[in-house]
Amino acid sequence: MTSVAPDRTSVMPPLPEGGPMPGDLLVSADHPALSTTVPVDSDPRLRPTRRALNGVTADDSFVVVGAAVSALALAWLVCFQLLPWGTLPAFVVTAFVLFLAVIAVGTAVTTPGPMVADRVASVVVTGGAALVALGLASAIVFVFVRGWPALWHWNMWTDDMAGVGPRDDLTKGGVAHAIVGSFIQIGIAVLITLPLGLGTAVFMTEVGGPFARVVRTVVEAMTALPSIVAGLFVYTTLIITLGMPRSGFAAATALSVMMLPIIARSADVVLRVIPSGLREASLALGASRWRTVWHVVLPTARPGLATAMILGVARGVGETSPVLLTSGAASFFVWNPFDGVMNSLPLFIFSGVRSGEPEAIERAFAAASILLMLVLLLFVTARRLARPRTGR
Amino acid sequence: MTTTTVRASTDGSPTTARPGPRRLARGAVGADKVFAIGTRTIGGTVLAITGGIGLFLAIQAFPTLDHYGTDFLIETQWEPESDTIGIASVLAGTATVALVAISLAFPLGLATALYISEYAPPRIKGALVSAVDLMAAVPSIIYGLWGYLLLMPHAGRIARFLHTYLGWIPAFDVDTDPHAAVWAQTRYTSSAFIAGIAVAMMVLPMAAAVMREVFSQAPLGEREGALALGATRWGMIRTVVLPFGTGGIIGGTMLGLGRALGETIAVLLIISPSFDLKFRPLEIGTQTISALIAGRFGEASTAQLSALLTAGLVLFLITLVINTLAAIVVSRSRSGAGTDI
């Protein structure tokens, strides 16, 4: 308890921020005989200083720097002088392995075995993480660099590909129809999956019962459904059996089939970690279950739910395989999802790259940059809405 | 709700006027009833949709399994024209790509998770966690482009290197001479190895996120105990964090494996289709179930669609088994699902 009883504050001056100051005389209001004096640090040198626990000594940094220099030099010698491996990836890998060896030997000279293992392990772990970071960064940078020239043509953002051949240069045509298609398809998919997914999650966590356990089991099982099989399911039922044309609506249905278990399950996970104390407090105050869900559970879970939904949408908007089977590719603006073939960003990228024409590939990269921007935007929004992570 | 007043009888003896225990409604009433029925209906709808897909796949698989029998599982070729259809080689290709992906994603994911939870400076930890989540959100077509156009030339050289120096291991064998004066570059492209690298980029963040989550729950007391006994950081990780996180490591890797089996678009971009039953990941040509579906659905007749759906069902069942096992392993490694105030 941090609050102070009101009668006590009238006796004592309000505490300065950070508690009593050194030298203050603290007197208990109830028992004036009990008093204490906060000790004064007369000599600042006696004050304990926080010891640096994981600081780096000069010795450590010398071993690391020395090992790095010698590994680079050795790797150059091996890759470019001794063996016919003269490429940059080979150089980096050789340098890393040599760095490990040199640092192991260098540490072993001065320190005992466990320290050597510690240092080698930390280099391996850091190196692995750095490789992953390099992979992610190279993928993102690569797409933006290749898409950059095409993105500067304004028609890329506003025009469709109607009447534009694959070999026409970048001043003609654009990917706007694919952007529109992506938005329409994902919009319909969200309209279908959001209420169903959220409602199912509420049912599974707040109503419960044996039937809810069945639903949860099936929904969790269906998260394993590969997206291509979801696409094939919609293709077989809607397009082949029911005879619907390939359309934006069929693509949206395929996306919904794929996203529904994912969204239901992630919403379920979010709702399950709402402290049950909150629910019980609300019920104990006489609120009905419905009001408890509406006024306590859902508002508490709002950031988590928003994050789950947005990440689900981000997953859906970039998914190519269900769309590939169900939407067909139009080269022009299609505003009506029921009106025949419709393009979308992932599909445009895929067909562009598959065609092999240099201009088509450049357009595909422009579309990929736009798709990546869209996903990044969704991701940042999700992060903003999420509670600040403690990042333990 | 009806209220009843309870009169306390002072002598403790039962009187005829004393009411029994308050009657509570057994089920939901009023708005609660509407709420319960409404959500139950939604749950039922979702059950019908998702369960319906599973049932549909199973039913569609019947004619194919009836027609081809066990040949469907052991035949390597997929030639609808001559009525020979089987998924043996495709299944092997799927497993090869997934194995390559997971054997890359497992060590790298473990390193990433360990770095974030144990080594990273506290200031950037949150950003790194976000970066891993972002990596999971990047669409697979982006990794497909990355693998197809950026990685392929380099990966071909790595494959040749592995073949040259480790070619005596059957898994690294390629059907060409690595020491030829002009090396057969095309033999090393469009392989399961390159597709596996691209798929690894997709499954790695899933695996790393699960592992990091479990590592971060390693008991603080035991960590501090190990450090207080003089363990180095690696000693503490080896004796406390890794044993505690074993379930998360296994479960996260299996979740990644489940995702790797179903990846389509990156694989479809990179591989060149072939129906040889082989385990030579470095060599050109392989086929996976999902790539087969994506490549063949267009010209398929009804019977062939049924065959493709059966292949999809097999893929779904394998993924389902792996995911279920992973979920069991992960949930065992954690303490209870619910949290409380």
Side-chain angles (χ1 to χ4, degrees):
Chain A
M1 294 290 273
T2 51
S3 61
V4 183
D7 60 330
R8 219 173 283 184
T9 43
S10 59
V11 176
M12 258 169 54
L15 292 177
E17 209 173 320
M21 295 301 287
D24 285 355
L25 181 66
L26 299 183
V27 185
S28 166
D30 305 333
H31 304 281
L34 297 176
S35 67
T36 184
T37 311
V38 178
V40 184
D41 290 354
S42 51
D43 189 351
R45 280 174 306 172
L46 293 179
R47 215 175 281 166
T49 50
R50 186 179 278 264
R51 216 153 51 94
L53 288 174
N54 46 7
V56 181
T57 63
D59 208 22
D60 292 341
S61 35
F62 182 75
V63 169
V64 173
V65 170
V69 170
S70 71
L72 285 175
L74 264 176
W76 176 78
L77 194 66
V78 168
C79 284
F80 295 104
Q81 305 297 313
L82 297 179
L83 292 167
W85 299 350
T87 58
L88 192 63
F91 175 74
V92 173
V93 171
T94 320
F96 184 70
V97 172
L98 288 170
F99 180 63
L100 271 184
V102 175
I103 208 164
V105 172
T107 316
V109 172
T110 52
T111 48
M115 288 287 284
V116 180
D118 181 51
R119 191 159 285 168
V120 170
S122 75
V123 172
V124 169
V125 167
T126 313
L131 185 60
V132 173
L134 182 74
L136 174 64
S138 70
I140 292 178
V141 168
F142 173 66
V143 167
F144 277 120
V145 166
R146 290 285 300 264
W148 195 248
L151 285 179
W152 280 103
H153 295 283
W154 190 241
N155 52 313
M156 199 54 71
W157 297 81
T158 57
D159 221 347
D160 61 6
M161 292 292 288
V164 183
R167 293 194 187 183
D168 287 344
D169 63 7
L170 296 173
T171 51
K172 284 185 200 158
V175 297
H177 63 299
I179 302 177
V180 168
S182 266
F183 272 112
I184 291 176
Q185 288 170 12
I186 200 73
I188 297 174
V190 167
L191 281 184
I192 296 174
T193 52
L194 208 62
L196 284 181
L198 202 56
T200 313
V202 168
F203 172 60
M204 292 192 287
T205 50
E206 305 301 324
V207 178
F211 183 56
R213 275 198 291 281
V214 175
V215 174
R216 176 175 286 150
T217 312
V218 172
V219 164
E220 286 197 352
M222 291 313 281
T223 52
L225 187 77
S227 56
I228 185 85
V229 181
L232 189 62
F233 166 74
V234 170
Y235 177 75
T236 316
T237 50
L238 280 189
I239 296 176
I240 298 294
T241 311
L242 296 181
M244 269 180 70
R246 291 188 178 196
S247 62
F249 180 72
T253 316
L255 287 177
S256 309
V257 164
M258 188 210 86
M259 281 163 62
L260 183 56
I262 296 176
I263 287 198
R265 188 171 175 213
S266 49
D268 178 44
V269 169
V270 171
L271 288 182
R272 258 202 282 184
V273 297
I274 299 294
S276 49
L278 287 180
R279 285 190 196 103
E280 285 155 13
S282 165
L283 292 171
L285 285 170
S288 65
R289 305 231 327 251
W290 157 244
R291 292 185 78 87
T292 304
V293 169
W294 189 249
H295 290 291
V296 176
V297 175
L298 289 182
T300 315
R302 191 186 291 143
L305 285 177
T307 311
M309 298 304 126
I310 292 174
L311 290 182
V313 170
R315 176 97 184 268
V317 82
E319 196 65 61
T320 321
S321 31
V323 181
L324 174 70
L325 268 64
T326 49
S327 85
S331 60
F332 42 84
F333 280 108
V334 177
W335 296 96
N336 182 356
F338 297 94
D339 181 28
V341 292
M342 182 189 242
N343 218 330
S344 60
L345 281 173
L347 194 57
F348 184 87
I349 301 167
F350 180 73
S351 41
V353 171
R354 259 299 163 94
S355 75
E357 300 287 346
E359 284 81 12
I361 293 181
E362 281 214 47
R363 284 199 186 89
F365 270 103
S369 313
I370 294 171
L371 178 63
L372 204 48
M373 278 185 234
L374 197 61
V375 170
L376 284 176
L377 189 71
L378 286 171
F379 185 80
V380 171
T381 318
R383 275 281 161 274
R384 278 284 162 83
L385 288 174
R387 281 161 285 191
R389 293 188 85 112
T390 43
R392 279 176 297 179
Chain B
M1 292 261 180
T2 55
T3 52
T4 51
T5 46
V6 180
R7 277 190 216 98
S9 55
T10 43
D11 57 353
S13 64
T15 58
T16 47
R18 187 184 179 183
R22 192 161 65 105
R23 247 195 300 171
L24 294 169
R26 291 188 65 197
V29 289
D32 272 358
K33 193 153 200 169
V34 176
F35 166 67
I37 292 174
T39 52
R40 194 174 288 270
T41 315
I42 294 176
T45 314
V46 171
L47 178 70
I49 296 173
T50 51
I53 297 167
L55 273 182
F56 175 82
L57 285 177
I59 291 169
Q60 284 285 318
F62 251 109
T64 304
L65 291 177
D66 192 41
H67 184 67
Y68 298 101
T70 47
D71 278 1
F72 186 73
L73 290 177
I74 52 176
E75 170 65 45
T76 58
Q77 295 303 307
W78 188 279
E79 286 164 355
E81 304 81 36
S82 58
D83 202 31
T84 43
I85 281 184
I87 54 169
S89 62
V90 190
L91 216 49
T94 310
T96 311
V97 172
L99 268 182
V100 171
I102 213 67
S103 56
L104 286 169
F106 168 67
L108 289 178
L110 184 61
T112 310
L114 274 181
Y115 181 78
I116 294 177
S117 93
E118 308 298 325
Y119 288 93
R123 275 175 293 113
I124 63 168
K125 222 177 243 188
L128 291 179
V129 173
S130 291
V132 169
D133 290 346
L134 172 68
M135 196 173 170
V138 170
S140 55
I141 183 92
I142 303 286
Y143 291 125
L145 290 180
W146 176 80
Y148 181 54
L149 293 169
L150 182 69
L151 195 70
M152 193 99 102
H154 299 294
R157 281 200 205 93
I158 297 172
R160 184 191 174 215
F161 173 86
L162 288 174
H163 180 210
T164 312
Y165 293 93
L166 298 168
W168 47 274
I169 303 173
F172 292 130
D173 194 24
V174 178
D175 191 16
T176 177
D177 177 20
H179 303 288
V182 180
W183 62 293
Q185 207 159 351
T186 51
R187 295 298 294 167
Y188 297 97
T189 51
S190 303
S191 61
F193 171 64
I194 302 171
I197 298 178
V199 174
M201 290 290 286
M202 283 168 240
V203 303
L204 192 151
M206 282 181 83
V210 174
M211 291 182 200
R212 187 199 60 80
E213 189 75 34
V214 178
F215 291 159
S216 71
Q217 289 168 354
L220 196 61
E222 287 180 35
R223 285 166 183 266
E224 287 173 348
L227 291 175
L229 287 171
T232 57
R233 180 156 28 183
W234 172 244
M236 187 268 287
I237 292 171
R238 205 165 50 83
T239 51
V240 178
V241 177
L242 290 183
F244 183 85
T246 313
I249 297 173
I250 298 172
T253 310
M254 288 174 73
L255 272 182
L257 184 62
R259 175 95 192 268
L261 288 169
E263 266 313 323
T264 313
I265 220 70
V267 179
L268 188 62
L269 265 181
I270 291 170
I271 61 168
S272 95
S274 91
F275 290 93
D276 304 332
L277 183 62
K278 62 175 183 185
F279 185 72
R280 291 196 294 271
L282 297 182
E283 191 176 274
I284 181 171
T286 186
Q287 185 65 287
T288 69
I289 291 182
S290 44
L292 177 79
I293 295 175
R296 293 295 180 95
F297 79 99
E299 68 261 24
S301 65
T302 317
Q304 292 168 35
L305 264 184
S306 161
L308 285 176
L309 280 167
T310 314
L313 176 71
V314 172
L315 177 63
F316 170 52
L317 289 180
I318 296 173
T319 316
L320 180 59
V321 168
I322 289 176
N323 277 11
T324 311
L325 288 178
I328 292 171
V329 172
V330 173
S331 67
R332 283 227 178 124
S333 73
R334 284 184 188 161
S335 57
T339 49
D340 239 309
I341 286 185

